[in-house]
């Protein structure tokens, strides 16, 4: 219990990168031994002897050992017939003898954690581990697991399990355990402070890093909301606080207006995975959105198109029993820039790029313009596509602009015929209400322009400009 309390006060981690670390679990409880006193030992064999101290001091890697026990967890026929129990016997070897932090370069009195290759599962704990002379050198108490299923724990393929060296049994038998535990506890405190940082210090350091990553991610999302200039955007912070998840927490929000929303939740104090689910109720409709994993196991985010007046329930769950979850929810109120204004700005930028000599001036003239409506897609899951064919008599620089009146997403691909081939010149498939691009062609070029959308009956306008140099 003393060891577990000390361990909980620190944050044992292995740094995987400057911004991420993986938690290190203890090898089970330290000094994990106990004595069971029997009222009647009639019919029992004589006790196995605890190995002498000089033997315990020398055990190490490849030392042959065996155990007799009753493993049961997840085994066929229950592992053990309780009416006529038959013990399981295994032979293997010790892989290392270390302190409780995995260090073998310490004095023998601290090397009380025995790591071995004997199989371990529920029911095997407490089994005596003996040497070839029948002396008890350790007591099996734990194993490495990589996961838990409804049928039990999944062991690690590393084939390393743990045991407590038999010194600890002798201490209980001769009554010296309390006296010897005093210097041992002091040594644990020193080793923890040497190897790891206190949890409260790490939480402060981690929070700063996590907050920077979160703020950068949020800034990237905000940058995309203008649609590269198709919208003016006003952002609103709906949630920005730390929740205590034990292991689940919930918060509710009401959306005043429609618009894209971005939610990010992350473990502000550790490395535990976080899971997020949003349920948006809009009148009689309901949609559920689950958070997508990020490059960081401790963070999740999701985006959704919020509806005016909708009630949003946010549920966050941590893999840990308790966690501090930082939650940030933003709403973007977007106003469409009129296509005419958007086109004027793009044309001005394009003309500046064309000028190669200070004495030149550039004007534009319409080379082609048309309007249309996207047809029915050819098959389910495919885009709706309109095809426009035209011939450009004049050589030079051209600017293509396609727009919709509303918020429908549209794309454009323009290509020039070269014999039987189509040479692509423009491709704008970002999925905004406008799509555009520039290209240069020789005189008499035969062009094919494809206008694409997600659904039929979306009206669009197409304008093609030619640059005139003076």
């Amino acid at each position: 219990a003393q060891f577990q309390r000390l361990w909980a006060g620190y944050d044992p981690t292995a740094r995987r990168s400057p911004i991420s670390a993986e938690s290190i679990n203890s090898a089970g409880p330290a000094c994990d031994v106990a004595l069971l006193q029997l009222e009647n030992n009639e019919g029992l064999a004589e006790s196995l002897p605890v190995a002498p101290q000089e033997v315990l001091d020398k055990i190490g890697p490849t030392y042959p050992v065996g155990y007799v026990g009753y493993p049961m967890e997840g085994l066929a026929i229950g592992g053990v017939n309780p009416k006529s129990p038959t013990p399981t016997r295994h032979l293997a070897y010790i892989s290392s003898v270390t302190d409780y932090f995995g260090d073998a370069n310490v004095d023998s009195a601290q090397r009380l954690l025995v790591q071995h290759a004997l199989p371990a599962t529920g029911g095997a704990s407490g089994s005596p581990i003996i040497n070839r002379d029948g002396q008890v050198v350790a007591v099996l108490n734990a194993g490495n697991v990589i996961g838990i299923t409804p049928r039990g724990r999944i062991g690690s393929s590393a084939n390393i399990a743990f045991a407590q060296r038999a010194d600890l049994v002798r201490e209980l038998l001769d009554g010296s355990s309390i006296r010897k535990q005093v210097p041992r506890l002091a040594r644990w405190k020193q080793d923890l402070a040497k190897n790891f940082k206190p949890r409260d210090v790490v939480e402060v350091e981690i929070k700063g890093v996590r907050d920077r990553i979160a703020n950068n991610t949020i800034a990237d999302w905000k940058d995309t909301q203008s649609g590269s200039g198709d919208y003016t955007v006003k952002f609103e912070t709906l949630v920005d606080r730390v929740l205590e998840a034990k292991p689940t927490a919930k918060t509710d929000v009401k959306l005043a207006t429609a618009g894209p929303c971005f939610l990010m939740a992350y473990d502000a104090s550790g490395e535990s995975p976080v899971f997020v689910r949003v349920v948006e109720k809009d009148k009689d409709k309901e949609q559920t959105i689950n958070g997508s994993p990020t490059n960081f196991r401790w963070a999740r985010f999701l985006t959704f198109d919020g509806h005016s007046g909708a009630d949003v329930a946010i549920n966050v769950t941590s893999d840990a029993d308790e966690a501090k979850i930082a939650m940030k929810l933003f709403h973007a109120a977007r106003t469409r820039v009129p296509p005419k204004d958007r086109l004027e700005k793009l044309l001005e930028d394009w003309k500046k790029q064309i000028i190669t000599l200070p004495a030149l001036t550039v004007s534009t003239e319409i080379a082609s313009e048309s309007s249309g409506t996207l047809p029915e897609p050819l098959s389910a899951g495919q885009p709706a596509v309109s095809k426009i064919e035209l011939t450009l008599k004049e050589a030079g620089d051209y600017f293509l602009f396609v727009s919709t009146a509303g918020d429908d997403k549209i794309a454009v691909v323009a290509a020039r015929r070269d014999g039987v081939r189509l040479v692509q010149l423009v491709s704008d498939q970002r999925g905004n209400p406008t799509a555009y691009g520039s290209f240069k062609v020789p005189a008499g070029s035969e062009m094919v322009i494809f206008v694409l959308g997600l659904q039929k009956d979306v009206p669009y306008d197409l304008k093609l400009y030619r640059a005139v140099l003076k």
Side-chain angles (χ1 to χ4, degrees):
Q2 292 172 338
F3 182 84
Q4 295 295 80
R5 285 195 295 269
L6 282 174
W7 190 275
Y10 283 78
D11 188 68
T13 56
R15 186 62 52 188
R16 292 188 290 139
S17 74
I19 56 175
S20 185
E22 185 171 357
S23 296
I24 297 174
N25 297 320
S26 67
C31 299
D32 186 17
V33 294
L35 292 183
L36 178 65
Q37 304 286 355
L38 299 182
E39 292 184 0
N40 183 359
N41 61 2
E42 184 179 350
L44 295 180
E46 290 190 17
S47 301
L48 293 170
V50 175
Q53 191 62 49
E54 58 268 23
V55 172
L56 296 178
D57 289 338
K58 293 179 180 178
I59 63 173
T62 72
Y63 187 86
V65 290
Y67 87 77
V68 178
Y70 297 89
M72 300 174 65
E73 183 179 352
L75 299 184
I77 64 172
V80 172
N81 183 335
K83 295 181 180 180
S84 180
T86 300
T88 295
R89 302 166 180 84
H90 279 289
L91 299 176
Y93 53 87
I94 290 173
S95 52
S96 64
V97 182
T98 70
D99 66 9
Y100 290 108
F101 308 98
D103 189 355
N105 298 313
V106 293
D107 59 86
S108 176
Q110 296 297 320
R111 297 198 305 272
L112 299 177
L113 180 65
V114 177
Q115 303 184 41
H116 58 84
L118 292 163
T121 190
S125 294
S127 298
I129 295 178
I130 59 178
N131 61 14
R132 65 181 65 191
D133 297 320
Q135 300 168 331
V136 179
V137 296
V139 178
L140 191 149
N141 78 304
N144 277 295
V145 296
I146 60 173
I148 300 176
T149 72
R151 293 201 60 187
R153 292 165 287 193
I154 303 173
S156 167
S157 60
N159 195 27
I160 295 176
F162 302 108
Q164 307 291 301
R165 211 171 74 177
D167 312 48
L168 299 169
V169 177
R170 183 182 289 110
E171 290 178 15
L172 291 179
L173 291 171
D174 64 19
S176 64
S177 60
I178 294 178
R179 173 175 54 82
K180 292 187 176 180
Q181 184 60 19
V182 174
R184 188 177 292 144
L185 178 62
R187 179 63 180 266
W188 289 345
K189 291 179 179 178
Q190 293 176 6
D191 289 343
L192 272 168
K194 177 180 70 175
N195 292 299
F196 309 117
K197 293 182 179 180
R199 187 171 295 277
D200 55 354
V201 173
V202 174
E203 285 184 7
V204 173
E205 294 177 352
I206 287 177
K207 186 177 185 305
V209 175
R210 305 285 162 84
D211 286 348
R212 285 198 301 274
I213 294 172
N215 290 336
N216 290 339
T217 305
I218 292 163
D220 291 342
W221 173 78
K222 287 183 175 180
D223 287 343
T224 65
Q225 295 314 300
S226 69
S228 301
D230 283 335
Y231 298 93
T232 57
V233 190
K234 181 179 180 181
F235 293 101
E236 179 184 9
T237 302
L238 301 180
V239 178
D240 187 359
R241 63 176 180 267
V242 176
L243 303 178
E244 297 286 342
K246 297 183 179 182
T248 299
K250 179 183 177 183
T251 188
D252 298 311
V253 179
K254 192 173 189 67
L255 300 180
T257 59
C261 295
F262 178 87
L263 173 69
M264 186 168 193
Y266 59 95
D267 188 344
S269 57
E271 286 288 328
S272 298
V274 173
F275 306 93
V276 180
R277 186 178 77 253
V278 165
V279 178
E280 187 206 43
K281 295 181 180 179
D282 175 34
K283 299 176 183 177
D284 58 342
K285 296 180 180 180
E286 180 176 303
Q287 66 167 334
T288 299
I289 312 103
N290 292 310
S292 302
T294 67
N295 290 332
F296 314 102
R297 64 198 296 267
W298 41 265
R300 294 271 168 143
F301 70 86
L302 58 84
T303 59
F304 62 97
D305 290 326
H307 297 83
S308 179
D311 294 310
V312 178
I314 305 171
N315 295 274
V316 59
T317 303
S318 170
D319 234 17
D321 292 334
E322 295 186 19
K324 295 177 182 178
I325 306 298
M327 180 181 292
K328 300 175 185 286
L329 175 63
F330 298 90
H331 174 262
R334 305 197 301 179
T335 303
R336 176 76 186 278
V337 174
K340 179 182 177 182
D341 296 343
R342 183 80 177 112
L343 175 58
E344 288 180 358
K345 175 68 168 57
L346 291 171
L347 284 176
E348 287 302 315
D349 291 342
W350 174 59
K351 287 191 291 185
K352 292 176 183 176
Q353 296 172 9
I354 293 174
I355 297 175
T356 56
L357 296 174
L360 290 175
T361 61
V362 182
S363 61
T364 60
E365 65 178 22
I366 283 283
S368 179
E369 59 182 329
S370 61
S371 297
T373 302
L374 291 176
E376 181 88 29
L378 293 177
S379 60
Q382 297 298 313
V385 182
S386 285
K387 180 180 178 182
I388 301 103
E389 296 189 68
L390 53 92
T391 300
L392 300 179
K393 297 180 180 180
E394 303 285 344
D397 293 285
Y398 287 83
F399 184 84
L400 175 64
F401 180 81
V402 182
S403 66
T404 62
D407 288 330
D408 296 289
K409 296 178 179 179
I410 204 161
V412 67
V413 176
R416 179 176 63 85
R417 289 194 184 279
D418 182 11
V420 296
R421 295 189 311 130
L422 286 177
V423 180
Q424 180 174 294
L425 303 176
V426 170
S427 178
D428 183 356
Q429 302 183 56
R430 295 167 300 133
N432 292 324
T434 63
Y436 52 87
S438 60
F439 57 90
K440 192 181 188 76
V441 292
S445 294
E446 295 182 6
M447 300 292 299
V448 181
I449 300 173
F450 300 95
V451 180
L452 306 89
L454 299 178
Q455 55 190 10
K456 66 175 182 176
D457 298 331
V458 173
Y460 65 87
D461 290 315
L462 183 150
K463 289 179 169 46
L464 181 62
Y465 291 86
R466 186 175 72 88
V468 179
L469 302 177
K470 298 180 181 179

